[in-house]
Amino acid sequence: MQVSFACTDHGLKAPRNGEHSKQNATSPNTASQARARFRTVALIARSLGSFTHRYHHNLKESTAKLTGMKYRNLGKSGLRVSCLGLGELKFKSGNFSCLCQVAEQLMTIAYESGVNLFDTAEVYSGGNTFLVLAETERGLNRKHIIEEIVRAMTHVINQGMAMYWGTSRWSAMEIMEAYSVARQFNLIPPVCEQAEYHFFQREKVETQLPELYHKIGVGVVSWSPLACGIITGKYENGVPESSRASMKPYQWLREKIMSEDGRKQQAKLKELAHISEKLGCTLPQLAIAWCLRNEGVSSVLLGSSNPSQLTENLGAIQVIPKMTAGIASEVDHILGNRPHSKRDYHH
Protein backbone atom coordinates (compact mmCIF):
# COMPACT_ATOMS: atom_id res chain seq x y z
CA MET A 1 0.00 0.00 0.00
CA GLN A 2 1.30 3.43 -0.90
CA VAL A 3 0.29 6.09 1.59
CA SER A 4 1.72 9.59 1.34
CA PHE A 5 1.56 12.03 4.23
CA ALA A 6 2.77 15.61 3.76
CA CYS A 7 2.65 16.82 7.31
CA THR A 8 4.82 18.91 9.60
CA ASP A 9 4.25 20.50 12.97
CA HIS A 10 7.18 22.88 12.59
CA GLY A 11 7.22 25.56 15.23
CA LEU A 12 4.21 24.11 17.04
CA LYS A 13 4.24 23.21 20.71
CA ALA A 14 2.10 20.54 22.31
CA PRO A 15 -0.83 22.07 24.17
CA ARG A 16 -0.67 22.16 27.95
CA ASN A 17 -3.35 20.56 30.08
CA GLY A 18 -6.66 22.30 29.63
CA GLU A 19 -5.72 24.03 26.41
CA HIS A 20 -7.65 21.67 24.17
CA SER A 21 -10.98 23.11 25.18
CA LYS A 22 -9.73 26.63 24.47
CA GLN A 23 -8.78 25.92 20.87
CA ASN A 24 -12.09 26.71 19.31
CA ALA A 25 -11.94 26.79 15.52
CA THR A 26 -14.56 29.52 15.42
CA SER A 27 -11.88 31.90 16.68
CA PRO A 28 -10.65 34.42 14.13
CA ASN A 29 -7.12 33.35 14.97
CA THR A 30 -6.19 31.32 11.89
CA ALA A 31 -2.94 30.20 13.52
CA SER A 32 -4.96 28.39 16.19
CA GLN A 33 -7.02 26.70 13.50
CA ALA A 34 -3.86 25.68 11.72
CA ARG A 35 -2.29 24.27 14.87
CA ALA A 36 -5.36 22.18 15.61
CA ARG A 37 -5.48 20.78 12.11
CA PHE A 38 -1.77 20.04 11.88
CA ARG A 39 -1.70 18.29 15.25
CA THR A 40 -4.77 16.30 14.25
CA VAL A 41 -3.16 15.08 11.06
CA ALA A 42 0.15 14.39 12.78
CA LEU A 43 -1.65 12.39 15.46
CA ILE A 44 -3.48 10.30 12.90
CA ALA A 45 -0.35 9.85 10.81
CA ARG A 46 1.49 8.49 13.82
CA SER A 47 -1.38 6.20 14.79
CA LEU A 48 -2.03 4.93 11.27
CA GLY A 49 -0.51 1.57 12.12
CA SER A 50 -3.03 1.10 14.93
CA PHE A 51 -5.80 0.36 12.45
CA THR A 52 -3.93 -0.90 9.43
CA HIS A 53 -3.18 -4.16 11.18
CA ARG A 54 -6.84 -5.13 10.86
CA TYR A 55 -6.31 -5.83 7.19
CA HIS A 56 -4.58 -9.05 6.18
CA HIS A 57 -5.03 -8.74 2.45
CA ASN A 58 -3.58 -6.41 -0.10
CA LEU A 59 -5.48 -3.11 0.02
CA LYS A 60 -6.71 -3.37 -3.57
CA GLU A 61 -7.79 -6.99 -3.14
CA SER A 62 -9.66 -6.36 0.09
CA THR A 63 -11.47 -3.16 -0.82
CA ALA A 64 -11.79 -2.79 -4.58
CA LYS A 65 -14.47 -5.48 -4.89
CA LEU A 66 -16.45 -3.92 -2.05
CA THR A 67 -16.10 -0.22 -2.84
CA GLY A 68 -15.31 -0.19 -6.53
CA MET A 69 -12.22 1.95 -5.93
CA LYS A 70 -10.08 2.23 -9.04
CA TYR A 71 -6.31 2.56 -9.11
CA ARG A 72 -4.31 4.41 -11.72
CA ASN A 73 -0.65 4.96 -12.46
CA LEU A 74 0.69 8.28 -11.23
CA GLY A 75 1.98 9.54 -14.54
CA LYS A 76 4.55 7.11 -15.88
CA SER A 77 6.20 6.58 -12.51
CA GLY A 78 4.73 3.14 -11.96
CA LEU A 79 3.25 4.26 -8.63
CA ARG A 80 -0.37 3.12 -8.28
CA VAL A 81 -2.73 5.54 -6.53
CA SER A 82 -6.44 5.44 -5.80
CA CYS A 83 -8.37 7.57 -8.27
CA LEU A 84 -9.86 9.43 -5.29
CA GLY A 85 -7.62 10.85 -2.59
CA LEU A 86 -8.26 12.70 0.66
CA GLY A 87 -7.14 16.30 0.69
CA GLU A 88 -8.37 19.20 2.79
CA LEU A 89 -10.07 18.52 6.12
CA LYS A 90 -12.46 21.50 6.20
CA PHE A 91 -13.17 21.98 9.89
CA LYS A 92 -15.29 24.97 10.87
CA SER A 93 -15.92 24.53 14.58
CA GLY A 94 -15.10 22.44 17.60
CA ASN A 95 -12.22 22.10 20.05
CA PHE A 96 -9.10 20.02 19.56
CA SER A 97 -10.62 16.77 20.85
CA CYS A 98 -13.61 17.07 18.53
CA LEU A 99 -11.37 17.83 15.57
CA CYS A 100 -9.29 14.75 16.36
CA GLN A 101 -12.38 12.56 16.45
CA VAL A 102 -13.81 13.86 13.18
CA ALA A 103 -10.42 13.73 11.45
CA GLU A 104 -9.92 10.12 12.52
CA GLN A 105 -13.39 9.25 11.20
CA LEU A 106 -12.60 10.85 7.85
CA MET A 107 -9.23 9.13 7.58
CA THR A 108 -10.72 5.76 8.50
CA ILE A 109 -13.63 6.09 6.04
CA ALA A 110 -11.20 7.01 3.27
CA TYR A 111 -8.81 4.17 4.10
CA GLU A 112 -11.56 1.57 4.36
CA SER A 113 -12.92 2.78 1.02
CA GLY A 114 -9.62 1.96 -0.65
CA VAL A 115 -8.03 5.41 -0.63
CA ASN A 116 -4.23 5.24 -0.52
CA LEU A 117 -3.43 8.86 -1.31
CA PHE A 118 -3.61 11.40 1.52
CA ASP A 119 -2.57 14.99 0.92
CA THR A 120 -2.29 17.11 4.06
CA ALA A 121 -0.28 20.10 2.90
CA GLU A 122 -0.32 22.99 5.38
CA VAL A 123 -1.59 25.43 2.74
CA TYR A 124 -5.06 23.93 3.17
CA SER A 125 -5.48 25.47 6.59
CA GLY A 126 -4.40 28.96 5.73
CA GLY A 127 -1.55 28.68 8.21
CA ASN A 128 2.18 28.22 7.83
CA THR A 129 2.89 27.00 4.34
CA PHE A 130 6.12 25.11 3.71
CA LEU A 131 8.02 26.88 0.95
CA VAL A 132 11.14 25.84 -0.94
CA LEU A 133 13.23 28.95 -1.47
CA ALA A 134 16.52 29.21 -3.26
CA GLU A 135 18.88 32.14 -2.99
CA THR A 136 22.10 32.09 -4.95
CA GLU A 137 24.79 34.59 -5.77
CA ARG A 138 23.30 34.81 -9.24
CA GLY A 139 19.97 36.03 -7.92
CA LEU A 140 16.47 34.64 -7.61
CA ASN A 141 15.48 34.17 -11.22
CA ARG A 142 13.13 31.31 -12.09
CA LYS A 143 15.76 29.09 -13.71
CA HIS A 144 17.98 29.12 -10.63
CA ILE A 145 15.06 28.53 -8.26
CA ILE A 146 13.84 25.55 -10.27
CA GLU A 147 17.35 24.07 -10.42
CA GLU A 148 17.72 24.34 -6.65
CA ILE A 149 14.32 22.79 -6.07
CA VAL A 150 15.13 19.83 -8.32
CA ARG A 151 18.45 19.35 -6.51
CA ALA A 152 16.73 19.56 -3.13
CA MET A 153 14.04 17.05 -4.06
CA THR A 154 16.64 14.68 -5.50
CA HIS A 155 18.53 14.87 -2.21
CA VAL A 156 15.36 14.12 -0.24
CA ILE A 157 14.70 11.02 -2.36
CA ASN A 158 18.33 9.84 -2.27
CA GLN A 159 18.24 10.11 1.52
CA GLY A 160 15.23 7.78 1.60
CA MET A 161 12.85 10.41 2.95
CA ALA A 162 10.56 10.15 -0.10
CA MET A 163 10.10 8.01 -3.18
CA TYR A 164 8.80 10.58 -5.65
CA TRP A 165 8.17 14.28 -5.83
CA GLY A 166 5.73 16.45 -7.70
CA THR A 167 4.79 20.05 -8.29
CA SER A 168 1.69 22.09 -7.51
CA ARG A 169 0.32 24.98 -9.55
CA TRP A 170 3.39 25.06 -11.77
CA SER A 171 3.06 26.15 -15.38
CA ALA A 172 3.79 23.68 -18.16
CA MET A 173 6.92 25.69 -18.98
CA GLU A 174 8.20 25.47 -15.40
CA ILE A 175 7.61 21.71 -15.28
CA MET A 176 9.49 21.28 -18.56
CA GLU A 177 12.35 23.34 -17.15
CA ALA A 178 12.49 21.08 -14.08
CA TYR A 179 12.60 18.04 -16.34
CA SER A 180 15.37 19.58 -18.45
CA VAL A 181 17.41 20.39 -15.34
CA ALA A 182 17.00 16.82 -14.12
CA ARG A 183 18.18 15.44 -17.45
CA GLN A 184 21.12 17.83 -17.63
CA PHE A 185 22.49 17.14 -14.15
CA ASN A 186 21.35 13.51 -13.72
CA LEU A 187 18.76 14.46 -11.10
CA ILE A 188 15.22 13.18 -10.41
CA PRO A 189 12.36 14.95 -12.24
CA PRO A 190 8.81 15.47 -10.87
CA VAL A 191 6.27 12.73 -11.59
CA CYS A 192 3.05 14.71 -11.21
CA GLU A 193 1.48 18.14 -11.11
CA GLN A 194 -1.32 19.13 -8.75
CA ALA A 195 -3.76 21.31 -10.64
CA GLU A 196 -7.20 22.79 -10.08
CA TYR A 197 -9.78 21.02 -12.20
CA HIS A 198 -13.56 21.24 -12.27
CA PHE A 199 -16.49 22.18 -14.50
CA PHE A 200 -15.36 25.80 -14.69
CA GLN A 201 -11.59 25.31 -14.77
CA ARG A 202 -10.47 23.09 -17.67
CA GLU A 203 -7.77 24.65 -19.83
CA LYS A 204 -4.61 23.52 -18.05
CA VAL A 205 -5.61 19.93 -17.32
CA GLU A 206 -7.23 19.27 -20.71
CA THR A 207 -4.79 21.00 -23.05
CA GLN A 208 -1.41 21.66 -21.42
CA LEU A 209 -0.77 18.73 -19.10
CA PRO A 210 -1.70 15.90 -21.52
CA GLU A 211 1.12 17.04 -23.78
CA LEU A 212 3.53 16.91 -20.84
CA TYR A 213 2.32 13.41 -19.98
CA HIS A 214 3.16 12.14 -23.45
CA LYS A 215 6.48 13.99 -23.58
CA ILE A 216 7.91 13.37 -20.12
CA GLY A 217 5.38 11.19 -18.27
CA VAL A 218 4.05 13.75 -15.78
CA GLY A 219 0.68 12.74 -14.32
CA VAL A 220 -2.10 14.88 -12.84
CA VAL A 221 -3.48 14.94 -9.31
CA SER A 222 -6.38 17.37 -9.47
CA TRP A 223 -7.92 19.34 -6.62
CA SER A 224 -11.07 21.37 -5.94
CA PRO A 225 -13.43 19.20 -8.04
CA LEU A 226 -16.35 21.11 -6.48
CA ALA A 227 -14.81 24.55 -7.03
CA CYS A 228 -14.58 25.49 -3.34
CA GLY A 229 -18.14 24.28 -2.79
CA ILE A 230 -19.68 26.27 -5.65
CA ILE A 231 -20.66 23.08 -7.49
CA THR A 232 -22.50 21.63 -4.48
CA GLY A 233 -25.47 23.85 -5.26
CA LYS A 234 -25.55 25.39 -1.79
CA TYR A 235 -25.00 28.87 -3.24
CA GLU A 236 -27.96 28.68 -5.60
CA ASN A 237 -29.89 31.28 -3.62
CA GLY A 238 -27.03 33.36 -2.31
CA VAL A 239 -24.45 32.80 0.44
CA PRO A 240 -25.75 30.96 3.53
CA GLU A 241 -24.45 32.27 6.86
CA SER A 242 -22.97 28.88 7.76
CA SER A 243 -21.07 28.46 4.50
CA ARG A 244 -17.38 28.93 3.87
CA ALA A 245 -18.04 31.92 1.61
CA SER A 246 -19.63 33.76 4.54
CA MET A 247 -16.35 33.71 6.48
CA LYS A 248 -14.09 36.77 6.39
CA PRO A 249 -11.01 34.96 4.99
CA TYR A 250 -13.15 33.82 2.05
CA GLN A 251 -14.43 37.22 1.00
CA TRP A 252 -12.92 36.56 -2.43
CA LEU A 253 -15.13 33.48 -2.77
CA ARG A 254 -18.23 35.43 -1.80
CA GLU A 255 -17.45 38.08 -4.40
CA LYS A 256 -16.90 35.40 -7.01
CA ILE A 257 -20.24 33.75 -6.25
CA MET A 258 -22.14 37.04 -6.27
CA SER A 259 -20.55 38.25 -9.52
CA GLU A 260 -22.22 38.04 -12.92
CA ASP A 261 -20.05 35.06 -13.85
CA GLY A 262 -21.01 33.42 -10.57
CA ARG A 263 -24.71 33.78 -11.32
CA LYS A 264 -24.17 32.31 -14.77
CA GLN A 265 -22.38 29.35 -13.21
CA GLN A 266 -25.30 28.72 -10.86
CA ALA A 267 -27.67 28.72 -13.84
CA LYS A 268 -25.53 26.10 -15.55
CA LEU A 269 -25.45 24.01 -12.38
CA LYS A 270 -29.25 23.92 -12.38
CA GLU A 271 -29.13 22.37 -15.85
CA LEU A 272 -26.40 19.95 -14.82
CA ALA A 273 -28.54 18.87 -11.88
CA HIS A 274 -30.99 17.38 -14.39
CA ILE A 275 -28.20 15.15 -15.70
CA SER A 276 -27.29 14.02 -12.18
CA GLU A 277 -30.94 13.19 -11.50
CA LYS A 278 -31.07 11.17 -14.70
CA LEU A 279 -27.99 9.22 -13.61
CA GLY A 280 -29.32 8.72 -10.10
CA CYS A 281 -26.52 10.60 -8.38
CA THR A 282 -25.93 13.93 -6.68
CA LEU A 283 -24.46 16.96 -8.41
CA PRO A 284 -21.17 16.67 -6.47
CA GLN A 285 -20.87 13.01 -7.48
CA LEU A 286 -21.44 13.95 -11.11
CA ALA A 287 -18.77 16.66 -10.88
CA ILE A 288 -16.20 14.28 -9.38
CA ALA A 289 -16.96 11.49 -11.85
CA TRP A 290 -16.69 14.05 -14.66
CA CYS A 291 -13.14 14.86 -13.52
CA LEU A 292 -12.27 11.17 -13.46
CA ARG A 293 -13.53 10.65 -17.00
CA ASN A 294 -10.26 12.24 -18.07
CA GLU A 295 -7.69 9.49 -18.61
CA GLY A 296 -4.87 11.92 -17.82
CA VAL A 297 -6.08 12.46 -14.25
CA SER A 298 -4.43 9.97 -11.91
CA SER A 299 -6.36 10.99 -8.81
CA VAL A 300 -8.88 13.59 -7.64
CA LEU A 301 -8.38 15.01 -4.15
CA LEU A 302 -11.53 15.36 -2.07
CA GLY A 303 -12.02 17.97 0.62
CA SER A 304 -14.42 17.04 3.42
CA SER A 305 -15.69 18.46 6.69
CA ASN A 306 -17.79 15.53 7.93
CA PRO A 307 -18.21 11.79 7.37
CA SER A 308 -21.48 12.03 5.42
CA GLN A 309 -19.97 14.48 2.95
CA LEU A 310 -16.93 12.27 2.40
CA THR A 311 -19.09 9.17 1.98
CA GLU A 312 -21.22 10.97 -0.60
CA ASN A 313 -18.17 12.13 -2.55
CA LEU A 314 -16.57 8.69 -2.50
CA GLY A 315 -19.80 7.43 -4.06
CA ALA A 316 -18.71 9.12 -7.28
CA ILE A 317 -16.83 5.90 -8.00
CA GLN A 318 -20.16 4.28 -8.84
CA VAL A 319 -20.95 7.05 -11.34
CA ILE A 320 -17.81 6.66 -13.46
CA PRO A 321 -19.26 3.83 -15.61
CA LYS A 322 -22.25 6.09 -16.35
CA MET A 323 -20.03 8.86 -17.74
CA THR A 324 -20.51 7.82 -21.35
CA ALA A 325 -19.46 9.87 -24.35
CA GLY A 326 -23.09 10.96 -24.67
CA ILE A 327 -23.28 12.21 -21.08
CA ALA A 328 -19.95 13.97 -21.42
CA SER A 329 -21.23 15.65 -24.56
CA GLU A 330 -24.34 16.84 -22.71
CA VAL A 331 -22.18 18.32 -19.98
CA ASP A 332 -19.96 20.04 -22.53
CA HIS A 333 -23.01 21.51 -24.25
CA ILE A 334 -24.28 23.00 -20.99
CA LEU A 335 -20.90 24.32 -19.88
CA GLY A 336 -19.93 25.68 -23.28
CA ASN A 337 -16.29 25.95 -22.25
CA ARG A 338 -14.60 22.89 -23.67
CA PRO A 339 -11.07 23.96 -24.63
CA HIS A 340 -9.59 23.09 -27.98
CA SER A 341 -7.12 20.24 -27.62
CA LYS A 342 -5.08 17.92 -29.82
CA ARG A 343 -6.54 14.81 -28.23
CA ASP A 344 -9.91 13.77 -26.88
CA TYR A 345 -9.46 12.36 -23.38
CA HIS A 346 -13.05 11.32 -22.86
CA HIS A 347 -13.74 7.63 -22.45
Side-chain angles (χ1 to χ4, degrees):
M1 183 182 107
Q2 300 109 6
V3 179
S4 173
F5 282 94
C7 175
T8 66
D9 51 6
H10 176 70
L12 302 179
K13 297 181 180 179
R16 296 184 294 272
N17 291 337
E19 284 191 355
H20 287 174
S21 60
K22 298 178 183 179
Q23 293 180 343
N24 192 310
T26 58
S27 167
N29 189 335
T30 57
S32 295
Q33 296 177 9
R35 283 195 293 270
R37 295 185 192 188
F38 298 164
R39 291 191 189 113
T40 298
V41 176
L43 174 65
I44 295 171
R46 288 194 295 268
S47 65
L48 182 62
S50 67
F51 65 84
T52 56
H53 71 84
R54 303 176 195 169
Y55 303 93
H56 304 290
H57 301 290
N58 177 276
L59 179 66
K60 289 188 289 185
E61 295 176 353
S62 62
T63 61
K65 292 182 179 179
L66 297 176
T67 67
M69 181 60 69
K70 307 296 181 183
Y71 299 83
R72 299 178 176 180
N73 289 330
L74 184 57
K76 295 183 179 179
S77 67
L79 181 66
R80 299 283 285 178
V81 295
S82 52
C83 67
L84 291 178
L86 183 60
E88 180 182 8
L89 304 182
K90 301 181 292 187
F91 301 132
K92 294 180 182 178
S93 62
N95 58 33
F96 177 75
S97 298
C98 292
L99 294 179
C100 279
Q101 184 177 8
V102 175
E104 184 171 3
Q105 289 176 336
L106 294 175
M107 296 283 284
T108 302
I109 289 172
Y111 179 82
E112 292 182 344
S113 297
V115 171
N116 71 355
L117 178 61
F118 298 83
D119 185 351
T120 58
E122 291 94 326
V123 68
Y124 288 142
S125 60
N128 300 316
T129 305
F130 176 70
L131 300 176
V132 178
L133 300 178
E135 184 172 4
T136 69
E137 294 179 357
R138 295 166 294 182
L140 278 172
N141 66 55
R142 185 180 69 186
K143 179 180 178 181
H144 299 150
I145 291 176
I146 290 177
E147 181 179 330
E148 290 301 314
I149 291 175
V150 176
R151 289 185 182 278
M153 295 300 100
T154 298
H155 175 73
V156 167
I157 292 174
N158 288 340
Q159 292 299 309
M161 292 182 282
M163 295 176 63
Y164 306 90
W165 74 279
T167 59
S168 181
R169 303 183 74 172
W170 283 32
S171 69
M173 182 179 296
E174 289 168 338
I175 296 171
M176 277 301 302
E177 288 180 1
Y179 178 79
S180 297
V181 166
R183 288 288 298 272
Q184 181 180 357
F185 299 107
N186 195 29
L187 303 173
I188 301 173
V191 300
C192 70
E193 157 68 3
Q194 283 192 349
E196 183 178 5
Y197 186 45
H198 49 73
F199 285 151
F200 308 117
Q201 185 72 274
R202 306 177 60 174
E203 182 71 29
K204 181 178 180 179
V205 171
E206 295 188 13
T207 63
Q208 300 174 27
L209 296 183
E211 187 173 357
L212 283 184
Y213 172 78
H214 290 286
K215 283 185 176 179
I216 62 177
V218 170
V220 177
V221 174
S222 70
W223 48 273
S224 196
L226 304 182
C228 294
I230 291 176
I231 296 176
T232 62
K234 63 184 176 183
Y235 298 117
E236 179 180 350
N237 299 313
V239 179
E241 292 184 4
S242 60
S243 67
R244 189 191 326 188
S246 67
M247 301 170 65
K248 189 173 182 180
Y250 291 94
Q251 179 66 28
W252 61 269
L253 180 58
R254 181 187 183 91
E255 293 174 355
K256 183 177 181 179
I257 294 169
M258 302 302 291
S259 69
E260 183 178 353
D261 285 343
R263 290 191 291 271
K264 289 180 179 178
Q265 289 178 352
Q266 290 301 318
K268 292 180 179 180
L269 291 175
K270 287 183 179 180
E271 294 185 60
L272 291 170
H274 296 308
I275 296 180
S276 65
E277 291 174 6
K278 180 170 61 176
L279 298 182
C281 66
T282 64
L283 184 57
Q285 289 173 337
L286 174 68
I288 296 167
W290 178 87
C291 292
L292 288 170
R293 92 210 182 286
N294 189 321
E295 293 178 339
V297 174
S298 298
S299 187
V300 173
L301 295 176
L302 305 176
S304 299
S305 59
N306 59 71
S308 61
Q309 183 184 55
L310 178 58
T311 300
E312 175 189 348
N313 292 346
L314 287 168
I317 289 291
Q318 310 300 328
V319 185
I320 297 176
K322 302 178 182 179
M323 286 300 301
T324 63
I327 293 296
S329 180
E330 287 185 47
V331 172
D332 280 337
H333 179 71
I334 292 173
L335 293 176
N337 63 354
R338 181 177 179 179
H340 298 290
S341 60
K342 298 178 181 179
R343 292 172 175 266
D344 186 357
Y345 286 88
H346 295 280
H347 287 299

